[in-house]
């Protein structure tokens, strides 16, 4: 196959799970001799994790609104908050992305949470791959299910944002001489391939009919330090915790220390007060990423915020999850994962709730039994092989 130009795109989202999905694809495609570059919203962070050159994505600040979207329940709400319901603003965003795509002249674009790039690419001579996930890819139903209502039981305090977003999209499509859409999900149907990088057990809209779930993978960077010593002996399974800053982080670390189990905690931005429990011999805190997958065989359970990447991988490996969601998306993933019996969700704002959930993890054998069943279901799944197979499939789109 002749050498092709592949452009990876990461447009929306703050978490580094985006680069974890893109990195194995980039490594495989580059090993096949193709030219790979990336355009990313967090270009400096992406450049540290990806093996290819990374440039800054074009970004247009969201316009001020008379009534800001403060109640987000689905992707259309997110896009409306970013200005997609205002035609002139969306046109300018599309113009900037279209200029990048015309300048790069890729044979193939691979998009991770990149809806503006998707819209801007239509009508240009390139193949399109949309890496689908539960939030960035709405289900093929109308209206889009409102996850806030599902979580809180409360009706929407704002009108449905999808019609205004679709109207602005269609204005751009008309200018690009492309067919218009009726529903938001139709935009992503324009991709030449759209694999779902998830599992139905964490998809709030899943299982989706006629959807190919390729599983969850990541390529964590960092060291794999040994488990700290504990009073129960060197063969005691440990706990891996990923805790971003939140008011009860120090108290949560204290609860973990009191379990007596060996604990490895990735705690970015840890302050001196929070770090006091780290004086316990059985708990070690790290402010740089660590490779938790290297310790999966000796891990009892995972404590995290319910992000799709870590939660999905843990369940695939047969590890129970204790989740402290910080966002709607994480809450939705946690709720769906809890329905498997292998995940316990709790209120991150209430330290007593966190303590009760931790006690439940130790007292409820059913959580571990449910996780074991999921591990058996995905026993033959290889994240590395899945990424290689997808990379090969994607490059096949631009084969001579």
């Amino acid at each position: 196959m002749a050498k092709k130009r592949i452009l990876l795109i990461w447009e929306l989202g703050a978490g580094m799970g985006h680069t974890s999905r893109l990195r194995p694809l980039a490594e495989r495609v580059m090993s096949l001799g193709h030219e790979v570059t990336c355009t990313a919203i967090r270009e400096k962070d992406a450049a540290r994790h990806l093996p290819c050159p990374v440039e800054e994505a074009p970004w247009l600040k969201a316009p001020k609104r008379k009534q800001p979207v403060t109640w987000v329940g689905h992707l259309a709400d997110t896009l409306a908050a970013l200005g997609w319901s205002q035609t002139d603003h969306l046109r300018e965003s599309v113009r900037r992305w279209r200029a990048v795509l015309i300048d790069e002249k890729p044979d193939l674009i691979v998009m991770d949470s990149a809806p503006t790039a998707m819209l801007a690419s239509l009508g240009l001579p390139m193949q399109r791959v949309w890496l689908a996930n539960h939030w960035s890819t709405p289900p093929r139903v109308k209206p889009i299910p409102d996850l806030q209502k599902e979580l809180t039981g409360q009706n929407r305090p704002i009108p449905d944002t999808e019609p205004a977003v679709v109207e602005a999209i269609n204005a751009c499509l008309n200018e690009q001489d492309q067919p218009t859409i009726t529903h938001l999900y139709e935009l992503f149907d324009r991709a030449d391939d759209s694999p779902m990088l998830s599992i139905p057990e964490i998809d709030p809209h899943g299982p989706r009919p006629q959807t190919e779930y390729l599983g969850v993978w990541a390529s964590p960077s960092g060291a794999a330090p040994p488990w700290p010593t504990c009073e129960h002996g060197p063969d005691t399974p440990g706990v891996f915790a990923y805790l971003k800053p939140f008011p009860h982080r120090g108290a949560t670390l204290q609860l973990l220390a009191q379990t007596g189990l060996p604990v490895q905690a990735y705690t970015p931005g840890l302050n001196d007060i929070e770090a006091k429990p780290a004086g316990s011999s059985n708990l070690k805190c790290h402010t740089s990423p660590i490779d938790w997958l290297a310790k999966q065989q000796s891990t009892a359970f995972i404590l995290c915020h319910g992000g799709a990447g870590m939660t999905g991988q843990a369940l695939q490996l047969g590890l129970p999850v204790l989740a402290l969601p910080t966002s709607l998306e994480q809450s939705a993933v946690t709720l769906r994962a809890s329905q498997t019996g292998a995940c316990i969700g709790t209120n991150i704002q209430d330290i007593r709730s966190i303590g009760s959930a931790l006690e439940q993890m130790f007292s409820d054998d059913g959580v571990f039994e449910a996780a074991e069943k999921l591990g058996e279901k995905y026993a033959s799944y290889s994240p590395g092989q899945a990424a290689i197979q997808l990379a090969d499939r994607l490059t096949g789109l631009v084969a001579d």
Side-chain angles (χ1 to χ4, degrees), residues 45-373:
D45 292 325
R48 287 195 291 268
H49 290 82
L50 295 176
C52 60
V54 180
E55 297 181 354
E56 182 180 7
W59 180 251
L60 187 61
K61 186 177 180 180
K64 293 182 179 181
R65 303 172 59 91
K66 294 180 180 180
Q67 295 181 337
V69 178
T70 58
W71 205 86
V72 175
H74 48 56
L75 178 64
D77 291 342
T78 298
L79 296 179
L82 294 172
W84 277 53
S85 58
Q86 300 183 33
T87 300
D88 289 344
H89 183 85
L90 182 57
R91 279 190 180 122
E92 177 60 20
S93 296
V94 168
R95 184 194 65 77
R96 295 187 183 195
W97 271 104
R98 204 166 172 88
V100 169
L101 296 175
I102 291 173
D103 183 63
E104 291 286 341
K105 296 181 176 63
D107 298 293
L108 168 69
I109 57 173
V110 180
M111 296 165 282
D112 190 301
S113 296
T116 321
M118 178 68 192
L119 176 56
S121 73
L122 297 177
L124 296 178
M126 61 191 66
Q127 299 291 306
R128 298 161 189 81
V129 171
W130 180 258
L131 300 182
N133 65 52
H134 54 271
W135 183 262
S136 70
T137 311
R140 294 179 174 87
V141 296
K142 173 69 177 177
I144 304 174
D146 189 326
L147 296 179
Q148 275 281 15
K149 183 176 181 180
E150 182 177 348
L151 290 167
T152 66
Q154 299 178 356
N155 292 324
R156 289 177 63 85
I158 61 173
D160 186 11
T161 56
E162 185 180 10
V165 168
V166 167
E167 181 179 355
I169 290 173
N170 284 337
C172 295
L173 290 173
N174 283 326
E175 291 184 357
Q176 295 165 214
D177 294 323
Q178 296 298 301
T180 57
I181 63 174
T182 303
H183 308 303
L184 180 57
Y185 67 78
E186 296 174 38
L187 174 65
F188 309 106
D189 287 344
R190 303 284 175 91
D192 297 287
D193 199 351
S194 55
M196 176 69 75
L197 302 192
S198 183
I199 55 177
E201 289 83 3
I202 64 168
D203 182 359
H205 304 302
R208 307 186 193 202
Q210 300 178 337
T211 295
E212 178 187 20
Y213 288 90
L214 294 187
V216 183
W217 66 66
S219 47
S221 58
W227 290 109
T229 59
C230 78
E231 59 188 30
H232 303 297
D235 296 327
T236 304
V239 178
F240 177 80
Y242 172 33
L243 297 174
K244 295 180 180 180
F246 67 98
H248 297 301
R249 183 164 68 166
T252 301
L253 291 171
Q254 185 65 53
L255 290 174
L256 289 171
Q258 291 171 356
T259 67
L261 297 178
V263 179
Q264 295 279 13
Y266 172 37
T267 51
L270 190 72
N271 61 45
D272 292 340
I273 296 177
E274 294 173 325
K276 286 184 178 180
S280 304
S281 61
N282 64 310
L283 184 147
K284 298 297 181 184
C285 291
H286 308 265
T287 55
S288 298
I290 59 178
D291 185 357
W292 69 276
L293 290 175
K295 300 293 184 181
Q296 59 182 272
Q297 298 297 333
S298 55
T299 299
F301 66 89
I302 300 296
L303 174 63
C304 64
H305 295 294
M310 184 168 289
T311 302
Q313 281 196 296
L315 297 184
Q316 286 175 169
L317 294 169
L319 295 175
V321 175
L322 176 54
L324 286 66
T326 63
S327 67
L328 171 66
E329 181 179 357
Q330 292 171 348
S331 295
V333 168
T334 298
L335 177 62
R336 181 70 181 92
S338 298
Q339 294 169 359
T340 69
C343 174
I344 298 174
T346 189
N347 181 3
I348 196 171
Q349 305 296 334
D350 185 354
I351 189 60
R352 290 176 298 180
S353 176
I354 297 173
S356 297
L358 194 57
E359 291 178 4
Q360 181 183 352
M361 183 64 77
F362 286 107
S363 62
D364 188 354
D365 291 338
V367 178
F368 290 85
E369 293 170 359
E372 184 178 359
K373 289 182 181 179

